[in-house]
């Protein structure tokens, strides 16, 4: 994994594929978060494994009980509410202020 400085990890976080995540500095994680960089899919009667890195920016807050799938990208300074559910290849756009 590539993890920046001052990241707060609390107990109860589950990360599959640790080598395929990037977390920016100053990010805070709530409890019971699940992050996976792989997903098993069925297509035309065949199964395949989809794999893509998960990227979380600097100074983000990730609410408890959130789930992120392969290809998730969260930009810097984003607050993700508790129970956020981002499936394959979902991104969070910069917040307009």
């Amino acid at each position: 994994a590539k993890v920046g400085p001052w990241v707060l990890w609390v107990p109860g976080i589950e990360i599959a594929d640790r080598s395929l995540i990037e977390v920016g500095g100053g990010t805070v994680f709530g409890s019971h978060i699940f992050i996976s960089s792989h997903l098993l899919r069925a297509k035309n009667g065949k199964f395949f494994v989809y794999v893509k890195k998960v990227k979380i920016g600097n100074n983000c807050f990730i609410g408890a009980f959130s789930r992120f799938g392969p290809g998730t990208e969260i930009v810097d300074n984003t607050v993700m509410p508790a129970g956020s559910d981002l499936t394959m290849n979902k991104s969070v756009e910069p917040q307009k202020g």
Side-chain angles (χ1 to χ4, degrees):
K2 182 178 178 183
V3 179
W6 303 105
V7 172
L8 176 63
W9 305 93
V10 299
I13 296 174
E14 186 175 344
I15 300 174
D17 317 305
R18 282 189 273 171
S19 64
L20 294 172
I21 69 165
E22 290 181 10
V23 180
T27 293
V28 176
F29 289 87
S31 64
H32 298 92
I33 292 170
F34 178 74
I35 301 172
S36 178
S37 296
H38 77 277
L39 181 68
L40 181 65
R41 302 287 286 196
K43 186 174 184 179
N44 299 325
K46 295 182 181 184
F47 290 99
F48 68 96
V49 178
Y50 181 81
V51 178
K52 192 169 181 184
K53 187 178 288 194
V54 172
K55 298 178 183 179
I56 300 172
N58 295 295
N59 303 310
C60 293
F61 177 84
I62 310 299
F65 299 98
S66 294
R67 300 183 309 169
F68 303 127
T72 295
E73 291 191 32
I74 300 171
V75 298
D76 293 348
N77 305 307
T78 298
V79 174
M80 296 297 298
S84 295
D85 195 11
L86 299 177
T87 57
M88 192 168 73
N89 292 321
K90 298 293 181 183
S91 333
V92 176
E93 296 297 320
Q95 299 171 348
K96 310 250 185 218

